[in-house]
Amino acid sequence: MSKILVINSGSSSLKYQLIDMKDESVLAKGICERIGIANSNFVYKAHGQTIEQLVDMPNHNVAVKLVLDKLTDAEVGVIASMEEIDGVGHRVVASGEAFKVPTLVTPEAMVLMEEIKDLAPLHNPAAIVGVNACLAQMPNTPMVLVFDTGFHFTMPDYAYMYAVDYAHYEKYKIRRYGAHGTSHKFVAQEAAKYLGKDIADLKIITCHLGNGSSISAVEGGKCIDTSMGFTPLAGVAMGTRSGDIDYAAAEYIGRKEGMDISQTLTYLNKKCGMLGLSGVSSDFRDLAKAADEGNYRANLALDVFAYGTKKYIGAYSAALNGVDVIVFTAGVGENDADVRRRTLKNLDYLGVKLDLEKNANCPRGTIAEIQADDSRVKILVIPTNEEVVIARETMAVAKLS
Ligand code: AMP
């Protein structure tokens, strides 16, 4: 059975996981941080131990070499040689319409990747660098591009189209793409498995709530709508992102504050959301503490976030013509009982009733069911695992077994 290396490249970082597909267990994982910057940091976790080293990593090639050296190290390694890695799955943030399914890395695919670089200017170029760094070390190992947007390509046209001049859709492919697709897909499948139901029979709303947040409507295992848009700026308010906003309001702030469009977008991405509203932090733990201490704006930020999420649950219940399961996942969704409580407050007309006790005492790191006994809708907390989806897609596309 295959072993798959999953790579998530950022502009100055590279996260990795080696997964044994026999049982989808993680053999080793870690992160290379501050690549190309002074004081690069290398973290390697295997055999229940963590090794952290300050190593010079001037570029991604050196980082990948370091990862492979550790994985095959006689003492701390988990494989005897690089040949044991049967495939490499690369996470890619944005696909545009260029890639609608996970795709094998070929020279032609990499030409297309270059063409869609500016759809995610911070992330997509990093993915290209990561692929090339892996190819340099493992030229004969099959590699697969797995896109965050991939799960959302089943949306119908009326859900993904913006009401702009149709010519601009045709010319620039301006439309809703969504994000966090691998996470939404994973938790929807896990929900069906956990409930012992065929996913084809379920209407699921998946809430991926973290520093970035998105909500998806999943019918019969297929995404029919999602809250993020052309970029991950859209949808609910997030850690530092505004989420949906009247564009005239954004333009007005920009004009009054002397910001051009690009500066205004940076403002909407980095200075708004929970951070902007609360003036305290983008971190939900800090917001909870401040709200507990009576900070009005921190409490307001949490209410705005929860109310925004609740409205998507309402909208997607309509889009799905009902809902069987609501899933919470990611940093906030899995850990923040108070946000779940605020979000699901007064939804009993939909058949959604939270058990406050179960919610508050929800165990960490495992699937938990937190609805009240008389709730028609199941409410599940499911730890996400984007890497395992990337590894599964890699197996399928590279035809490994
Ligand atoms: P993610 O982007 O999925 O890594 O999620 C990051 C967010 O999860 C941060 O805003 C954290 O504050 C939040 N988070 C992580 N652990 C907890 C926790 N125990 N309680 C509340 N929020 C948490």
Side-chain angles (χ1 to χ4, degrees), residues 88-245:
V88 182
H90 292 270
R91 177 195 177 213
V92 187
V93 167
S95 64
E97 286 195 338
F99 298 95
K100 293 190 173 171
V101 290
T103 301
L104 201 63
V105 169
T106 58
E108 295 76 32
M110 294 313 285
V111 170
L112 270 184
M113 282 285 287
E114 288 287 340
E115 285 173 16
I116 58 164
K117 255 193 332 204
D118 65 352
L119 284 178
L122 290 179
H123 296 98
N124 272 20
I128 295 174
V129 170
V131 170
N132 288 331
C134 288
L135 280 175
Q137 305 295 331
M138 298 176 274
N140 300 317
T141 308
M143 309 215 175
V144 174
L145 307 165
V146 182
F147 299 88
D148 274 12
T149 42
F151 183 54
H152 304 306
F153 276 104
T154 43
M155 282 188 284
D157 49 6
Y158 53 80
Y160 70 69
M161 282 304 295
Y162 290 129
V164 294
D165 185 336
Y166 197 81
H168 291 146
Y169 163 65
E170 293 181 311
K171 201 164 160 194
Y172 305 121
K173 304 296 174 205
I174 300 293
R175 49 162 285 181
R176 178 186 308 284
Y177 290 108
H180 299 138
T182 47
S183 177
H184 289 288
K185 181 174 187 173
F186 178 79
V187 296
Q189 289 176 341
E190 285 291 295
K193 216 190 303 170
Y194 172 83
L195 295 169
K197 295 248 166 88
D198 187 341
I199 198 164
D201 301 328
L202 288 174
K203 296 173 178 186
I204 309 175
I205 296 175
T206 49
C207 306
H208 177 111
L209 310 181
N211 199 24
S213 296
S214 64
I215 297 118
S216 291
V218 183
E219 184 165 31
K222 294 194 163 54
C223 176
I224 62 152
D225 207 346
T226 194
S227 62
M228 281 180 167
F230 182 69
T231 75
L233 177 58
V236 286
M238 306 175 216
T240 60
R241 287 171 241 170
S242 64
D244 291 337
I245 182 171

Side-chain angles (χ1 to χ4, degrees), residues 210-211 282-285 330-332 335-336 364:
N211 199 24
S282 63
D283 191 301
F284 281 73
R285 285 164 291 202
V332 176
N335 297 303
D336 198 327
R364 299 263 159 93

Side-chain angles (χ1 to χ4, degrees), residues 339-357:
V339 163
R340 293 194 299 259
R341 180 190 62 77
R342 289 179 194 239
T343 302
L344 298 181
K345 204 165 60 180
N346 296 334
L347 272 180
D348 42 328
Y349 82 99
L350 265 187
V352 177
K353 276 197 215 170
L354 191 65
D355 183 314
L356 293 176
E357 195 95 335

